Amino acid sequence: EERVSAEKGVREQLLLDRIAAKEELDVTKEELDRAIEGMARESGQSPAAIRQELKKNDSLKSLKTEVLRRKSLDWVYERTNIC
């Protein structure tokens, strides 16, 4: 069951990545800044400290990918009528 769940998650991520590429979605500096500010609020640290930690761990690209996938999902929701 865990494997099936993991495979589903990977397929969902790949689909969101394909949507982002096809629709030419990208993450702006402002969107990345907002994500960092949200992480800072949740952790009680400053945005500068969070950014420094992300750079130190080479994790800025991962955060950008996460923000882009959320943006892709928002794109899908905006174009579907799910009741």
Side-chain angles (χ1 to χ4, degrees):
E1 190 171 303
E2 287 182 26
R3 181 175 179 200
V4 171
S5 179
E7 288 174 353
K8 182 181 176 193
V10 169
R11 282 193 302 271
E12 289 170 355
Q13 290 177 352
L14 290 173
L15 179 60
L16 292 172
D17 293 345
R18 291 174 98 186
I19 290 168
K22 183 173 182 335
E23 297 303 322
E24 299 179 353
L25 302 177
D26 200 10
V27 176
T28 65
K29 180 185 180 314
E30 292 78 18
E31 290 168 327
L32 194 58
D33 287 345
R34 279 195 302 270
I36 291 170
E37 289 167 5
M39 292 172 70
R41 275 192 306 276
E42 289 177 11
S43 68
Q45 298 181 45
S46 71
I50 295 293
R51 185 177 294 279
Q52 182 68 22
E53 189 69 24
L54 290 168
K55 285 181 182 178
K56 178 180 156 189
N57 295 329
D58 201 27
S59 298
L60 270 175
K61 185 176 180 179
S62 295
L63 177 60
K64 186 174 180 180
T65 299
E66 182 182 325
V67 171
L68 185 59
R69 286 177 178 155
R70 276 190 252 138
K71 193 171 183 177
S72 297
L73 191 56
D74 290 343
W75 184 91
V76 170
Y77 285 144
E78 289 171 4
R79 283 154 183 79
T80 57
N81 293 323
I82 300 174
C83 299

